[in-house]
């Protein structure tokens, strides 16, 4: 028996869609007639405060407006400028999956599939859509997500996680995306040891 032929378990890199590689927040604000460029609103969004927590719109009303837009709303989300680089760099370190929540919107999964087919067709068969992302947690996996709650849950269930900065912080230059990606790569290299 040749021990050198034992296959090492692959490292799985789960990348969130909304807010990490797609521009969900911008689209949500536009749909709900919220001025994302208002100084106070933008500052709160950058601090991770959700739209419904600001008292501008209820969570129910937010999802009602997004749902009314149908599948096209999800399929036509903008792509963050760092998305392709992030996916490429992660692909060098492990097997990339897109791990996303369907949210409270029935058309979301099919719209997200259309979006992926347009922008990342090679990952269409590596889409996992489910509410409880922590169910994908393992010692050989990491979640890259902009939600602190989802990051915390993934860690609690035995996975590694990286809290991706709010996309507005990166778009406005409050944080440097290249530095964030380098930090993420270093963390993954440590987890794989």
């Amino acid at each position: 028996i040749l021990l050198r032929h034992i296959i090492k378990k692959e490292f799985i890199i789960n990348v969130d869609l909304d807010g990490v590689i797609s521009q969900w927040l911008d689209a949500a604000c536009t749909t709900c007639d919220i001025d994302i460029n208002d100084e106070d609103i933008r500052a709160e969004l950058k601090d991770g405060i959700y739209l419904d927590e600001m008292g501008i719109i209820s969570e129910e009303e937010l999802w009602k407006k997004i749902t009314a837009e149908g599948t096209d709303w999800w399929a036509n989300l903008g792509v963050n400028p760092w998305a392709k680089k992030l996916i490429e760099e992660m692909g060098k370190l492990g097997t990339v999956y897109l791990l996303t929540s369907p949210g409270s919107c029935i058309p979301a999964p099919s719209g997200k599939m259309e979006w992926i087919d347009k922008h990342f067709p090679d990952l269409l068969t590596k889409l996992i859509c489910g509410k409880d992302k922590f169910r994908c947690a393992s010692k050989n996996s990491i979640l890259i997500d902009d939600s602190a709650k989802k990051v915390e849950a993934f860690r609690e269930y035995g996975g590694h996680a990286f809290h991706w900065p709010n996309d507005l912080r990166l778009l406005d230059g409050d944080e440097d995306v290249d530095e964030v990606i380098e930090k993420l790569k270093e963390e993954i290299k440590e987890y794989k040891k």
Side-chain angles (χ1 to χ4, degrees), residues 28-97:
C29 286
T30 299
T31 300
C32 297
D33 295 319
I34 297 168
D35 183 4
I36 197 169
N37 294 313
D38 176 279
E39 217 174 282
D40 294 331
I41 291 172
R42 197 170 186 92
E44 287 192 71
L45 291 170
K46 284 182 183 185
D47 285 340
I49 298 170
Y50 292 101
L51 292 169
D52 59 311
E53 295 171 336
M54 291 184 208
I56 298 173
I57 189 168
S58 69
E59 183 177 6
E60 182 181 331
E61 187 63 23
L62 171 95
W63 286 110
K64 183 179 175 182
K65 288 184 177 207
I66 291 173
T67 301
E69 297 291 321
T71 302
D72 287 348
W73 189 91
W74 297 93
N76 295 317
L77 289 177
V79 180
N80 276 321
W82 54 80
K84 293 204 186 299
K85 179 179 180 177
L86 175 63
I87 296 299
E88 285 172 10
E89 291 298 317
M90 295 303 99
K92 295 173 186 175
L93 298 170
T95 303
V96 176
Y97 282 84

Side-chain angles (χ1 to χ4, degrees), residues 17-184:
L17 287 180
D18 306 324
V20 176
I21 59 174
S22 74
Q23 295 179 343
W24 184 92
L25 190 54
D26 184 62
C29 286
T30 299
T31 300
C32 297
D33 295 319
I34 297 168
D35 183 4
I36 197 169
N37 294 313
D38 176 279
E39 217 174 282
D40 294 331
I41 291 172
R42 197 170 186 92
E44 287 192 71
L45 291 170
K46 284 182 183 185
D47 285 340
I49 298 170
Y50 292 101
L51 292 169
D52 59 311
E53 295 171 336
M54 291 184 208
I56 298 173
I57 189 168
S58 69
E59 183 177 6
E60 182 181 331
E61 187 63 23
L62 171 95
W63 286 110
K64 183 179 175 182
K65 288 184 177 207
I66 291 173
T67 301
E69 297 291 321
T71 302
D72 287 348
W73 189 91
W74 297 93
N76 295 317
L77 289 177
V79 180
N80 276 321
W82 54 80
K84 293 204 186 299
K85 179 179 180 177
L86 175 63
I87 296 299
E88 285 172 10
E89 291 298 317
M90 295 303 99
K92 295 173 186 175
L93 298 170
T95 303
V96 176
Y97 282 84
L98 300 176
L99 181 54
T100 189
S101 171
S104 302
C105 182
I106 292 170
S110 57
K112 289 182 182 201
M113 288 180 72
E114 285 182 39
W115 187 90
I116 294 164
D117 193 37
K118 266 194 266 186
H119 304 289
F120 297 95
D122 293 345
L123 293 176
L124 189 57
T125 59
K126 293 188 175 179
L127 169 66
I128 301 171
C129 189
K131 180 183 171 196
D132 299 326
K133 293 181 182 183
F134 61 83
R135 303 230 182 257
C136 293
S138 76
K139 66 180 181 172
N140 289 319
S141 69
I142 187 170
L143 171 66
I144 303 165
D145 204 302
D146 62 324
S147 165
K149 289 178 185 176
K150 292 184 177 154
V151 163
E152 185 179 316
F154 207 83
R155 287 179 180 145
E156 284 177 14
Y157 279 79
H160 305 287
F162 185 88
H163 189 196
W164 188 261
N166 175 285
D167 59 353
L168 296 178
R169 295 187 61 76
L170 295 170
L171 290 167
D172 289 354
D174 298 341
E175 293 189 52
D176 182 273
V177 72
D178 291 327
E179 289 177 12
V180 172
I181 290 173
E182 284 306 311
K183 180 180 176 192
L184 171 58

